[in-house]
Amino acid sequence: MNISKVRKFDTLTINVEGKITAQTAAEFENFINDNLDGVSNLILDLKDTDYVSSAGLRVILKAKKVMNTQGTMKIVNVQEDVMRTFVMVSFPDIITIEQLPI
């Protein structure tokens, strides 16, 4: 998994490449936590993410809870397989998600 970021004013876009697994979820969580100061708009770009484990889902939920207190969060460019996982756990009901066009 590779993680990168783009910060423009109070908007932070985090790009994740690869798989978010039980082994990489802590790195993902630390990266998010280390970069949220002063952020009121968080965007997770999952264009290059092809798998999210339950540990990754937990990290995303924790980020959403933080952003509920300081701004907004959305997930963009979700691949079809990852979107299926999100739908199974009702993420679209609690987080704004924009899927990649088919």
Side-chain angles (χ1 to χ4, degrees):
M1 176 185 72
N2 292 313
I3 309 170
S4 61
K5 67 179 180 179
V6 175
R7 174 98 185 241
K8 291 185 182 175
F9 306 107
D10 64 347
T11 298
L12 174 66
T13 301
I14 295 176
N15 302 291
V16 183
E17 180 182 340
K19 298 177 182 344
I20 305 171
T21 66
Q23 292 75 29
T24 61
E27 176 187 355
F28 181 44
E29 182 172 17
N30 290 336
F31 189 93
I32 291 172
N33 291 339
D34 291 346
N35 288 285
L36 285 184
D37 285 343
V39 171
S40 61
N41 300 301
L42 175 62
I43 301 167
L44 296 181
D45 189 338
L46 303 184
K47 175 182 62 161
D48 297 315
T49 306
D50 50 16
Y51 176 78
V52 179
S53 72
S54 59
L57 295 173
R58 179 188 55 80
V59 171
I60 293 169
L61 275 179
K62 286 177 79 174
K64 174 62 174 159
K65 287 180 182 179
V66 169
M67 291 311 299
N68 282 345
T69 65
Q70 67 186 60
T72 63
M73 175 179 157
K74 70 178 175 178
I75 303 171
V76 299
N77 300 324
V78 179
Q79 292 188 21
E80 189 175 339
D81 288 343
V82 173
M83 189 65 185
R84 273 194 224 108
T85 301
F86 286 172
V87 169
M88 283 193 307
V89 297
S90 301
F91 262 32
D93 295 338
I94 55 174
I95 301 173
T96 301
I97 300 175
E98 297 173 6
Q99 191 174 0
L100 277 172
I102 296 174

